[in-house]
Amino acid sequence: MLDKSDYREYVAKNAPRSPMLRSLVAAFVVGGLICCIGEGIKDAVSAIFPSMTEEDAGAWTTIILIFIGSFLTAIGVYDKIGRFAGGGSMIPITGFANSVVSPALEYNREGVFFGICAKMFVIAGPIIVFGVVAGILAGTVGLFV
Amino acid sequence: MKLGRQSFVSDRPVYLCSSYTIVGPKEGDGNFGELFDTVLKDDLWGERSYEKAESKMHREAIRGGICLAGRRLDEIDLMLAGDLLNELSASGLAMRYFKVPFAGLYNACSTFSEGILLGTALIDGGAANTVTCSTSSHFASAERQYRYPLELGNQRTPTSQWTVTGAGCSVLSSIRPTAEEDAVNRADFSEKMKSMRENCLECAKNEDSERKNGKGDEDAFPSTGMRWAERIKRKILKKLRPDSVADPVCDPNYKRSRVVRISGGTFGKVTDFGINDESNMGGAMAPAAADTLLAHLADTGRSVGDYDAIFTGDLGRFGSEAFEYIMKREGVTFPGNHLDCGALFYKPEQETFQGGSGAGCVNTVFNSYIVKRLESGEWKRVLVLATGALLNKDTPLQKETIPGVSHAFVAESEPL
């Protein structure tokens, strides 16, 4: 039979690949759009509550974006956006909300304790671990600098 | 009788008495949509989870097959069944409803042809007279087990496939079906299904569940304590969207002019060419299909031109190309008779990339499209090479490559 490495070469050469340009453009546009919406929310929050500091306005923007991401996940829209945009909708904070809410929805059937609570972070887990570790490192460095 | 290294031919005739398929809504919109017996309007089918829905599809498909064959449950000697869920849970849960011996099979997506081969061999050897071969898969339950949650906004790669939501059952028997029986069985189908459901309930009931869930509610019976909210939900669903929980049906006017006979086949070896991309299973399984086909041709002395069609299971579009490439390198070219169940399953606008896959893919295509073509006499002899990728979610993470396996069976038609 055909040599195995020959076959692997054939597969690597001929297997269909993701359309690079289309993926990049879609990710750029949608990711940029989400960030624009975030800026818009921040401006709106600052306009409604003029006494709010910029830091607080940023925190409220994050909360609102997370809510929107979770809500769109729950009504089954976010996966459609994600299918079109790929990284564009995965990288912003809404994508993080999506990666926590979607397993929570999925494992709802195994019950609250061993379903939702245990499985909620199966996808977001690495992000949280790296976030915490990076936080500790930065904090430790910051302590001495 | 054993033939060559891996093959056998059946000495006693083994007939395909009946075949029954149930598929989900997306599959109903696909290329074979009109050929399936039952197309569900809702892929949960009134159940609480996709796993339960898959199990329900599985047991209803088995019942449908048995009723179409005009058999009673005590005339079935053995049920060969398999699916893709962990520890064959869809088949296992479905089997609670039947007091019939059960042998669970797993060969990933090639489980169906494994079942057909074993069933044929058992009948041929005299160990059984009538067996059912059934498999099922469900997009949502497979996705959750092998990949990501449904609502996660990730992109599918162009080499990925779409797990078919479907279950099918073939009833194999040494007793030859007749046209008169067929007509009666099809006319009485819904009545037979109803009485078999009651029979199943009778043999599986226990007093505890009856007290909790009320009499005659089959869907509820073993899951201890269906909550009142669930029960109300199902009642509302039955009222408002009755077609989402509709019972399986069959086409009463379908008539076959020929009967399908399983005349033998070839058991495949596990073949691993070192592909480690779990989103490119077509590429991983193509060498297995080629290996089995070469063994089949060598054992039987036939050539690919002796078949009206050679169906691979779920190699997908790219996998089919790779399969034909390997066969060409081995000096075998197809005279246009190689088809792939997965690649043909969906329409291009359904965005499934490589096409369908899963244990239900080759099963539902065989039990609808291929069987109907054989029974109408359009095809006389077909080879079905179902292919399976033997991986689980953890093996690629542990840097294992993906082994493939493929079993082939020969279906021939003869006048009824």
Side-chain angles (χ1 to χ4, degrees), chain B residues 1 42 69 101 210 221 255 273 285 333 357 361 384 391 397:
Chain B
M1 187 182 69
D42 174 23
E210 208 166 84
F221 99 87
K255 279 195 182 68
F273 269 39
M285 296 187 293
T333 46
S357 73
C361 176
V384 181
L391 78 166
L397 296 177

Side-chain angles (χ1 to χ4, degrees), chain B residues 67-122:
Chain B
C67 287
L68 272 189
R71 301 293 157 91
R72 292 190 317 271
L73 276 177
D74 54 8
E75 290 172 310
I76 309 295
D77 299 317
L78 181 66
M79 286 182 174
L80 298 164
D83 58 87
L84 299 182
L85 296 183
N86 284 337
E87 283 79 50
L88 300 186
S89 58
S91 325
L93 295 180
M95 288 304 158
R96 290 180 301 194
Y97 295 84
F98 306 110
K99 287 280 176 278
V100 175
F102 159 58
L105 307 175
Y106 184 80
N107 254 218
C109 312
S110 67
T111 307
F112 178 65
S113 60
E114 182 194 12
I116 291 277
L117 281 180
L118 290 174
T120 306
L122 286 172

Side-chain angles (χ1 to χ4, degrees), chain A residues 2-21:
Chain A
L2 177 74
D3 192 56
K4 288 185 184 183
S5 56
D6 279 1
Y7 179 70
R8 280 200 295 273
E9 224 164 81
Y10 167 83
V11 170
K13 213 160 79 194
N14 291 288
R17 267 173 229 127
S18 304
M20 191 67 102
L21 189 70

Side-chain angles (χ1 to χ4, degrees), chain B residues 28 48 77 103 128 153 157 180 187 209 221 229 241 281 285 309 382 395 409:
Chain B
R48 198 161 30 153
D77 299 317
T157 63
E180 298 79 52
S209 65
F221 99 87
R241 291 176 56 207
M281 299 216 273
M285 296 187 293
V382 170
T395 50
F409 67 87

